Amino acid sequence: MIVPCRGDVDVLVDCLEALGAQEASASFEVVVVDAADDDAVAALAERYPFVRLVRSAEGLSPGPARNLGVRAAHGSVLAFTDADCVPQPGWLAAATTGLETGARMVGGPILHARPGNPIAVADNLQQFAEFPPTRPAGPATHFPACNVALRAEDFRAAGGFIDERLGEDIVLSRAMTERWPGRVRFIPEMRVAHVGRTAWTSMLEHNRMLGEWRGRLRLLVCLLYTSD
């Protein structure tokens, strides 16, 4: 499991607690990529014996940070989430089961970690409207990098994450769907809760950039599902 982090210590602790509680049929490791050489992140990672810390002083963006984590990982399966996400019980088991039953890339619902905060809920809806818990299992076209898993060999064959500020997960998903049509699949049991932004200014700016990159990558968003 690979977690890029850039100063999100206050939320990273919940992510690591959730990852440490995951159950799987095989052993697993957690690689935290400290993308900004933050001593607070390093100190937190040291509290968890199952975490291996990789540090960079270059101020990496999310794509290159995840690629760095992949290079440090030993497993044959790569599961990605973010520091501001809390994987739910059964997340890793659902991901591995999906891959073992024929999928080449899997992802799942994005829940609200702060359901009582209207700004955080709006932030999540702007980003993850296509990934509600009510969406049925089946083929998908893309997944956000905060909730996706695939085999390490397939990740490398598809070229990994591109070095861009946003949209690296869309590009990887597109490469996977082109190589293996119909085998990129949505798994309803593969759930993470995302900690949405709570300030209007940061939420609006992030979603402005997200819209810009969706346009550049020509990603059509189809709201075919409704959330709880």
Side-chain angles (χ1 to χ4, degrees):
M1 294 179 280
I2 297 171
V3 185
C5 183
R6 192 165 181 171
D8 295 324
V9 177
D10 55 334
V11 291
L12 177 62
V13 62
D14 292 331
C15 179
L16 295 182
E17 290 287 339
L19 292 177
Q22 295 293 312
E23 296 183 358
S25 58
S27 60
F28 61 85
E29 63 180 354
V30 176
V31 178
V32 172
V33 181
D34 175 12
D37 201 23
D38 188 330
D39 290 339
V41 172
L44 177 61
E46 289 178 359
R47 291 166 42 187
Y48 297 89
F50 57 84
V51 169
R52 186 145 48 89
L53 181 69
V54 180
R55 308 188 74 179
S56 172
E58 299 180 25
L60 298 177
S61 57
R66 294 188 188 98
N67 289 339
L68 179 60
V70 170
R71 291 194 293 272
H74 296 130
S76 60
V77 171
L78 305 172
F80 295 92
T81 191
D82 286 345
D84 59 356
C85 289
V86 182
Q88 303 298 286
W91 173 72
L92 182 59
T96 54
T97 298
L99 294 173
E100 288 168 355
T101 52
R104 303 305 286 252
M105 184 184 210
V106 292
I110 312 294
L111 313 178
H112 301 299
R114 294 171 173 167
N117 188 299
I119 301 176
V121 170
D123 184 49
N124 279 351
L125 290 174
Q126 289 281 349
Q127 299 180 75
F128 309 121
E130 293 171 284
F131 308 101
T134 52
R135 177 173 173 172
T141 59
H142 64 279
F143 292 119
C146 65
N147 187 10
V148 67
L150 67 166
R151 295 175 183 85
E153 61 181 353
D154 291 347
F155 176 87
R156 296 185 177 96
F161 289 109
I162 61 172
D163 184 3
E164 294 289 354
R165 187 174 182 182
L166 289 172
E168 74 285 350
D169 43 10
I170 298 172
V171 174
L172 177 62
S173 296
R174 185 169 292 162
M176 293 293 293
T177 57
E178 289 175 353
R179 281 175 171 267
W180 294 287
R183 299 179 72 180
V184 173
R185 300 191 64 83
F186 183 85
I187 309 294
E189 297 79 17
M190 191 179 163
R191 302 182 173 201
V192 303
H194 178 261
V195 180
R197 292 163 181 80
T198 56
W200 279 114
T201 52
S202 60
M203 186 271 282
L204 292 173
E205 173 58 19
H206 179 78
N207 283 284
R208 181 198 66 77
M209 292 190 298
L210 186 65
E212 177 183 339
W213 278 97
R214 283 181 179 272
R216 289 188 189 185
L217 296 169
R218 298 180 181 179
L219 178 65
L220 178 63
V221 180
C222 299
L223 305 183
L224 301 179
Y225 313 100
T226 58
S227 58
D228 292 338

